[in-house]
């Protein structure tokens, strides 16, 4: 669906007209759908850098958008709609991490173990898995926000409270590390999980 | 997009969930519209503190009307003129104040600057800071010069001598962009000053959200407003923490605690492991000897992680072109600075090692050696 208030630009960055939140608060289903379609992938990627788990990232993404719909009427326009969305996502992720720290997961049931194993197979030769493993938490966020979410370095610097120089440096260093990793392993670009 | 970025995207696409399926669930889930923002959605828009900003705000009562507010403005102007002509002292530095900058290492100090970024006041919040400031007259000095002078004094007095040093920089300013700029410049000052002596600084930056109680609280504890705000955030995450104990902690210790609560990111793996989750070697009575005599100012050796962009890095791979990121953008979708909204949780992590209200405040030096861990 096309929307003029929320869309992904050609350079993969996200445009959101802040008045979309008023529309959502007023019950405009299409407005909310447009926001979801535009932002879901980015929010999911952002959450993944925190929880490092696809299931949790999916659940938290759902929570995030439900929260956005509930709180849309309270949004105060200040020129940074994505920052608000990422903040909500981040807060949910931190709550989840704190919960997991306080109450470590119980033993997996057989069903969830199978699911996890399948996921592990899928992630076996994925560069994203290595990115999460070999890079620091901050560097993962910087790389994902730029390479996957299409955010500009300046926006990332503002979001993460870093200087532009630091963000650029860290991004390039992280890519170098990943490039070395690519050199050492082969990565599937598509297809089914392999043994 | 270069090869690595392309592969990252392709790789990421393989682990994406079924967004349509999730959408169906979201669509079907009823939600009640919120009436009051909770800690998850609360937006942290700094409050402006122009001395006369209250005139712009809606008020009830006799000053709610434009006529009433105008009358008040005239009355205040008259009072000001009378005060000036009758020689009554007016705190000119307050009227001229633009930004408040708090720097916490172990010394805790605050600088007040005017619109031209000149220091109008330096306040030492503890004895260590008083020693740092000593007899330096920093009034009307450019902020960057003043900060560098203070860093030099800290080094001379034996601070910032660990391989990794954590500094808290907090800024309150009417201009949010300026606040960010000041934070980043001070971060660069610390990073580059310590790089010269082969040390590293991790700078935690935060905006000070002014409220009437913060100044009073910080004075009661004898710490800066920045440190007080940091402690308040920790307390909001875990009310069982003891504020007296936290106020006595060094920034290193507070930062380690904050990492455990995921209030700040985990340490970069490139940092020295000694800084992660361990005790600090800083003690109030046990300062390390300055290493200034041993350092060679001509030494041009750079830290691997120093924040300096070199042409080699940029041109190493011709596919790494992000030139478009350096141009000014017209669209207004830039993200905010530090994400400083914290979520409320009543599920405080429990651990026998957690500081709680029942423990006696341990203000002696042994406290700095007690590891704080979460099980």
């Amino acid at each position: 669906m096309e929307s003029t208030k929320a869309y992904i630009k050609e350079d993969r960055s996200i445009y959101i007209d802040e008045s979309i939140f008023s529309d959502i608060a007023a019950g405009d289903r299409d407005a909310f759908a447009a926001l979801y379609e535009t932002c879901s992938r980015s929010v999911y990627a952002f959450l993944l850098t925190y929880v490092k788990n696809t299931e949790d990232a999916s659940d938290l993404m759902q929570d995030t958008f439900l929260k956005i719909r509930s709180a849309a009427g309270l949004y105060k326009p200040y020129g940074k709609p994505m920052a608000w969305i990422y903040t909500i996502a981040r807060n949910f992720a931190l709550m989840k991490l704190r919960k997991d720290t306080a109450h470590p997961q119980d033993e997996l049931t057989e069903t969830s173990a199978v699911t996890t194993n399948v996921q592990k197979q899928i992630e076996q030769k994925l560069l994203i898995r290595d990115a999460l493993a070999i890079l620091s938490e901050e560097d993962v966020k910087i790389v994902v926000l730029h390479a996957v979410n299409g955010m500009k370095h300046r926006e990332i610097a503002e979001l993460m409270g870093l200087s532009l120089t630091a963000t650029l440096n860290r991004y390039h260093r992280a890519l170098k590390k990943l490039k070395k990793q690519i050199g050492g392993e082969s990565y599937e670009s598509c297809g089914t999980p392999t043994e | 997009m270069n090869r690595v970025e392309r592969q990252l995207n392709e790789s990421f696409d393989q682990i994406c969930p079924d967004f349509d399926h999730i959408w169906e669930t979201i669509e079907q889930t009823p939600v009640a519209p919120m009436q009051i923002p909770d800690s998850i959605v609360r937006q942290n828009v700094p409050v402006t503190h122009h001395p006369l900003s209250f005139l712009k705000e809606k008020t009830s009562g006799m000053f709610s009307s434009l006529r009433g507010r105008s009358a008040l403005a005239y009355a205040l102007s008259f009072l000001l003129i009378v005060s000036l002509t009758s020689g009554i002292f007016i705190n000119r530095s307050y009227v001229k104040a633009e930004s408040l900058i708090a720097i916490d290492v172990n010394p805790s100090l605050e600088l007040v600057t005017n619109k031209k970024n000149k220091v109008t006041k330096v306040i030492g919040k503890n004895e260590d800071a008083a020693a740092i400031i000593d007899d330096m007259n920093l009034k009307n000095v450019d902020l960057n010069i003043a900060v560098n002078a203070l860093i030099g004094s800290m080094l001379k007095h034996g601070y910032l001598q660990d391989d990794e040093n954590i500094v808290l920089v907090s800024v309150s300013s009417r201009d949010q962009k300026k606040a960010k700029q000041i934070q980043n410049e001070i971060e660069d000052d610390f990073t580059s000053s310590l790089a010269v002596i082969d040390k590293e600084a991790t700078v935690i930056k935060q905006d000070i959200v002014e409220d009437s109680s913060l100044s009073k609280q910080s004075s009661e504890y004898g710490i800066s407003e920045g440190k007080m705000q940091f402690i308040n955030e920790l307390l909001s995450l875990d009310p069982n923490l003891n504020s007296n104990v936290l106020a006595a902690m060094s920034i290193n210790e507070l930062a380690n605690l904050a990492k455990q609560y995921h209030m700040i990111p985990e340490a970069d793996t490139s940092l020295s492991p000694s800084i992660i989750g361990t005790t600090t070697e800083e003690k109030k009575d046990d300062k390390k000897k300055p290493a200034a005599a041993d350092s060679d100012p001509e030494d041009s050796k750079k830290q691997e992680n120093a924040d300096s962009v070199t042409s080699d890095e940029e041109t190493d791979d011709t596919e790494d072109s992000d030139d478009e990121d350096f141009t000014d953008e017209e669209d207004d979708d830039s993200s905010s600075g530090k994400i400083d909204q914290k979520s409320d949780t009543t599920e405080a992590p429990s651990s026998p090692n957690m500081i709680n209200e029942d423990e006696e405040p341990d203000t002696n030096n042994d406290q700095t050696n007690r590891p704080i861990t979460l099980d």
Side-chain angles (χ1 to χ4, degrees):
Chain A
M1 82 195 62
E2 291 180 14
S3 165
T4 54
K5 290 198 175 182
Y7 56 86
I8 299 174
K9 298 193 277 186
E10 271 183 29
D11 60 2
R12 294 180 301 119
S13 62
I14 290 174
Y15 171 77
I16 297 178
D17 182 331
E18 290 179 290
S19 65
I20 202 172
F21 294 114
S22 309
D23 297 341
I24 293 171
D28 186 339
R29 181 204 167 275
D30 289 341
F32 187 49
L35 185 75
Y36 177 83
E37 190 174 330
T38 304
C39 304
S40 50
R41 188 175 182 272
S42 296
V43 170
Y44 175 78
F46 184 67
L47 285 164
L48 197 61
T49 65
Y50 279 92
V51 296
K52 298 185 174 65
N53 173 299
T54 51
E55 273 188 38
D56 288 343
S58 298
D59 291 341
L60 293 174
M61 188 188 71
Q62 195 172 306
D63 291 341
T64 301
F65 279 95
L66 287 172
K67 197 64 158 179
I68 290 170
R69 195 167 84 194
S70 171
L74 300 173
Y75 177 75
K76 290 178 203 163
Y78 68 121
K80 295 164 186 176
M82 276 312 296
W84 187 58
I85 294 173
Y86 281 135
T87 298
I88 295 173
R90 180 179 178 268
N91 285 334
F92 274 120
L94 292 178
M95 280 171 65
K96 171 70 180 157
L97 289 171
R98 281 194 282 269
K99 203 182 203 175
D100 288 349
T101 306
H103 304 289
Q105 265 186 331
D106 295 331
E107 282 186 17
L108 295 175
T109 61
E110 196 177 310
T111 312
S112 57
V114 167
T115 309
T116 306
N117 283 336
V118 167
Q119 280 189 341
K120 277 186 178 161
Q121 285 176 352
I122 293 171
E123 290 165 7
Q124 201 70 37
K125 291 179 182 174
L126 292 179
L127 183 57
I128 193 81
R129 173 200 60 122
D130 284 333
L132 294 174
I134 68 173
L135 300 177
S136 70
E137 287 201 15
E138 273 206 328
D139 286 354
V140 165
K141 288 180 184 63
I142 292 170
V143 167
V144 168
L145 285 173
H146 181 72
V148 178
N149 290 12
M151 279 179 80
K152 301 294 183 197
H153 286 297
R154 187 180 299 113
E155 293 172 333
I156 298 170
E158 277 191 63
L159 185 72
M160 297 187 64
L162 300 170
S163 65
L164 178 60
T165 311
T167 308
L168 283 164
N169 271 333
R170 294 177 83 148
Y171 181 79
H172 286 295
R173 277 202 300 269
L175 280 208
K176 272 191 176 176
K177 281 186 194 173
L178 290 177
K179 205 173 164 186
K180 270 186 195 167
Q181 197 70 20
I182 294 176
E185 292 193 38
S186 63
Y187 285 88
E188 304 276 339
S189 59
C190 61
T192 54
T194 57
E195 293 283 331
Chain B
M1 202 187 293
N2 63 41
R3 187 167 62 102
V4 176
E5 290 168 342
R6 214 176 302 122
Q7 277 199 279
L8 265 172
N9 269 285
E10 286 167 0
S11 166
F12 175 75
D13 283 335
Q14 291 184 66
I15 56 172
C16 279
D18 183 349
F19 288 115
D20 291 336
H21 177 68
I22 295 177
W23 168 246
E24 283 171 16
T25 309
I26 291 173
E27 240 196 329
Q28 288 160 17
T29 306
V31 292
M34 292 173 68
Q35 304 302 323
I36 304 169
D38 60 14
S39 54
I40 296 175
V41 304
R42 189 172 297 128
Q43 290 169 264
N44 223 353
V45 183
V47 176
T48 56
H49 272 266
H50 192 285
L52 298 177
S53 63
F54 68 94
L55 288 175
K56 292 184 187 173
E57 293 163 3
K58 279 188 183 174
T59 56
S60 59
M62 72 185 275
F63 299 121
S64 59
S65 68
L66 180 62
R67 214 167 154 192
R69 291 209 294 272
S70 298
L72 180 62
Y74 288 134
L76 285 171
S77 304
F78 177 71
L79 186 63
L80 190 64
I81 293 166
V82 166
S83 303
L84 283 170
T85 53
S86 65
I88 294 172
F89 174 74
I90 292 170
N91 187 346
R92 293 166 67 199
S93 63
Y94 173 74
V95 172
K96 287 185 183 175
E98 166 87 354
S99 306
L100 172 80
I101 299 116
I103 299 177
D104 294 275
V105 182
N106 220 11
S108 206
L109 48 91
E110 290 175 354
L111 297 99
V112 179
T113 58
N114 61 18
K115 266 189 180 176
K116 294 182 182 174
N117 256 10
K118 303 274 186 199
V119 174
T120 59
K121 215 190 220 177
V122 182
I123 308 155
K125 303 299 284 192
N126 56 15
E127 276 178 27
D128 294 336
I132 295 298
I133 297 164
D134 201 14
D135 57 0
M136 272 196 279
N137 183 4
L138 297 172
K139 204 167 177 184
N140 287 326
V141 170
D142 193 75
L143 175 63
N144 276 338
I145 295 172
V147 168
N148 279 307
L150 290 165
I151 294 172
S153 183
M154 286 182 202
L155 289 168
K156 207 167 129 189
H157 284 82
Y159 296 99
L160 304 170
Q161 298 296 337
D162 294 333
D163 290 333
E164 265 299 332
N165 303 277
I166 301 186
V167 181
L168 177 64
V169 171
S170 321
V171 180
S172 164
S173 178
R174 284 181 277 161
D175 183 342
Q176 196 187 3
K177 270 191 181 161
K178 191 168 188 179
K180 293 288 173 228
Q181 190 186 341
I182 290 173
Q183 288 169 18
N184 288 337
E185 283 172 2
I186 295 178
E187 179 186 27
D188 288 343
D189 289 337
F190 272 98
T191 308
S192 49
S193 295
L194 266 66
V196 172
I197 55 168
D198 281 352
K199 304 288 181 195
E200 286 199 18
T202 299
V203 178
I204 303 171
K205 298 172 286 189
Q206 62 175 357
D207 298 325
I208 295 178
V209 181
E210 287 284 356
D211 70 58
S212 52
S213 63
L214 187 68
S215 177
K216 192 178 167 195
Q217 261 190 314
S218 63
S219 296
E220 280 171 9
Y221 285 105
I223 57 178
S224 74
E225 289 191 26
K227 190 173 176 182
M228 192 70 246
Q229 182 172 291
F230 197 83
I231 287 171
N232 284 340
E233 288 202 26
L234 275 168
L235 289 168
S236 74
L237 294 173
D238 187 352
N240 290 327
L241 295 173
N242 186 312
S243 50
N244 284 316
V245 172
L246 295 180
M249 282 182 173
S250 68
I251 291 301
N252 271 20
E253 290 170 307
L254 286 174
N256 288 332
L257 188 58
K259 279 172 202 162
Q260 292 177 33
Y261 282 95
H262 302 281
M263 193 171 120
I264 57 177
E266 290 292 335
D268 191 320
T269 51
S270 60
L271 291 177
S272 161
S274 63
I275 203 66
I276 302 171
T278 60
T279 62
T280 178
E281 293 171 15
E282 278 187 69
K283 297 178 185 178
K284 282 186 179 178
D285 300 329
D286 186 19
K287 297 167 198 169
K288 289 187 183 176
K289 299 298 173 202
D294 296 328
S295 67
D296 182 357
E298 307 288 359
D299 193 348
S300 60
K301 179 181 165 189
K302 300 285 181 200
Q303 289 291 330
E304 183 185 347
N305 295 317
D307 287 339
S308 59
V309 180
T310 65
S311 57
D312 289 341
E313 283 186 12
E314 293 294 337
T315 60
D316 192 38
D317 184 343
T318 53
E319 290 186 49
D320 288 341
S321 61
D322 279 312
D323 290 342
E324 70 271 17
D325 299 333
F326 291 89
T327 60
D328 281 333
E329 294 140 14
E330 287 180 356
D331 77 70
D332 199 24
D333 198 30
S334 58
S335 304
S336 70
K338 177 174 180 288
I339 302 171
D340 47 14
Q341 294 189 37
K342 300 296 177 285
S343 59
D344 252 347
T345 176
T346 55
E347 298 170 23
S350 59
S351 156
N353 293 330
M354 286 311 302
I355 300 166
N356 56 54
E357 292 287 352
D358 294 332
E359 287 185 22
E360 281 185 18
D362 185 5
T363 55
N364 64 32
N365 289 335
D366 285 341
Q367 178 199 317
T368 62
N369 290 322
R370 182 171 54 152
I372 301 158
T373 58
L374 287 173
D375 288 329

